[in-house]
Amino acid sequence: MWHYLDGGRDTPTGRGNRAALDAHPLLPRPLAEVRGGHTRLELFGETLGHPLLLAPIAYHRLQHPDGESACAMATAAQDGQMVVSTLASQPLEQIARAAEKPLWFQLYWQGSRERTARLLERALAAGYRCIVFTVDAPVKLATSPLPADVRPVNTEPPLPRRLQPDQSEVFDGWMAEAPGWHDLAWLRERVPVPLLIKGVLHAGDAVRAVDLGCDGVVVSNHGGRVLEVAPAALSRLPDVITALGGRVPVLYDSGIDSGADAFRALALGARAVLVGRPYLWGLAAAGALGVAHVIRLLRDELEMCMALCGCATLADISADRCG
Ligand code: FNR
């Protein structure tokens, strides 16, 4: 289970994420007036206490029997937001109830429009307030065997694959079930709430997604778990932000391990960040309290960085505070 969670960190992509964040030192600005400062923000019509969202992660019950519901409770207690994975190990309605506030739902394409629509309708009926469509993982490097009592409870059984001997597992197997741009346009028409696209590194792809009606973009390389030699996600963030020119919020994901990392991504123009593995470490160590503790630690770190760099609000975190 540790291997499953940690996978991707020690790859060129994972190490690149770390190195790119570390390459941006923060510039202290003493004597600034920051009393009354805060980390609040408005995001897709909701006021959040801080910009540290929980990234969608599969199978939380691998780490703790209370699973996704524990993370949902911690999210609400810490006035944040959580993106619940398509591959959650508890019913998405149960997770929604645990949060006592509308969460966001991460959607993976389910191999066909009909199957995808069924999952989407269920998430919308359960009150999820944003849909995050992850597009960067149509091919998996490896699939780990799951223990008997942990499984993706919200998805239908996988479609049977019938490959001819001369067919490719990748092109005719995985990719035959992957979505394309036309599917994104189809999805846009069916999602009545904000729709974000997650897993974009190329500025042209980000522009195309927004042209098709996406309300937000998550710059991410999946924490180094998909293409092991992808560029550091942070290195692509400025290009995407410039290309979009403020049309929609851009969120950053991949390698955020501290409040200083969050500050760095915000300084380069991200509106909020998604945190992945660190909150699962908290879940594994101490359930809901562990997750709440991790969120609080990251938030305290972010507040300290802001105070030391002379930023009273997130809007003050500009590129000139970060080398
Ligand atoms: C993921 N990620 C992921 N993303 C997604 O959209 N749906 C998913 O089901 C999962 N599952 C998943 C499992 C595990 C164990 C990990 C570590 C990651 C990717 C995740 O949302 C996020 O992009 C990365 O975790 C961000 O990197 P850090 O913060 O973990 O470095």
Side-chain angles (χ1 to χ4, degrees), residues 9-224:
R9 271 171 86 86
D10 194 20
T11 59
T13 310
R15 290 191 296 272
N17 284 337
R18 185 68 257 144
L21 287 157
D22 285 338
H24 290 279
L26 309 191
L27 187 62
R29 300 292 302 276
L31 303 176
E33 178 59 81
V34 295
R35 274 177 295 186
H38 64 83
T39 58
R40 278 192 302 281
L41 73 158
E42 288 281 323
L43 200 55
F44 302 114
E46 183 185 13
T47 304
L48 300 175
H50 56 84
L52 305 154
L53 281 62
L54 303 196
I57 303 248
Y59 316 130
H60 286 189
R61 291 188 61 255
L62 283 178
Q63 315 299 335
H64 193 282
D66 295 344
E68 287 81 5
S69 297
C71 298
M73 286 168 62
T75 297
Q78 291 292 350
D79 199 12
Q81 192 46 276
M82 168 182 179
V83 191
V84 174
S85 167
T86 280
L87 300 175
S89 53
Q90 291 176 326
L92 55 87
E93 296 82 3
Q94 178 188 341
I95 305 165
R97 279 194 302 275
E100 295 179 2
K101 70 173 241 175
L103 301 174
W104 297 11
F105 186 75
Q106 177 265 324
L107 184 69
Y108 271 137
W109 192 250
Q110 294 300 297
S112 73
R113 292 184 175 182
E114 295 69 33
R115 287 162 62 100
T116 305
R118 281 197 288 275
L119 179 60
L120 173 67
E121 291 307 322
R122 215 179 127 191
L124 293 171
Y128 286 85
R129 69 184 318 281
C130 288
I131 299 296
V132 179
F133 184 41
T134 300
V135 294
D136 62 355
V139 176
K140 305 274 190 296
L141 284 177
T143 45
S144 310
L146 293 171
D149 62 336
V150 178
R151 57 183 192 88
V153 296
N154 297 301
T155 53
E156 299 173 28
L159 290 166
R161 291 215 180 118
R162 285 182 218 90
L163 290 181
Q164 303 302 318
D166 61 340
Q167 284 189 311
S168 149
E169 174 76 24
V170 173
F171 293 119
D172 307 301
W174 293 105
M175 294 312 288
E177 294 169 16
W181 288 106
H182 49 289
D183 296 310
L184 179 60
W186 170 87
L187 189 63
R188 172 67 283 184
E189 288 183 5
R190 273 152 194 83
V191 175
V193 296
L195 173 65
L196 287 76
I197 186 166
K198 173 173 179 279
V200 171
L201 293 172
H202 191 289
D205 291 343
V207 169
R208 190 165 177 185
V210 174
D211 286 347
L212 284 173
C214 283
D215 302 292
V217 171
V218 184
V219 172
S220 168
N221 58 27
H222 218 98

Side-chain angles (χ1 to χ4, degrees), residues 224-288:
R225 295 171 72 81
V226 183
L227 183 61
E228 291 186 337
V229 289
L234 196 75
S235 71
R236 309 302 305 169
L237 180 63
D239 261 14
V240 170
I241 288 185
T242 304
L244 289 176
R247 288 170 69 194
V248 299
V250 176
L251 278 57
Y252 177 82
D253 160 290
S254 291
I256 299 290
D257 284 352
S258 68
D261 289 342
F263 187 103
R264 290 160 159 148
L266 298 175
L268 294 192
R271 279 282 285 283
V273 298
L274 275 63
V275 179
R277 297 172 186 91
Y279 81 88
L280 269 292
W281 300 332
L283 178 67

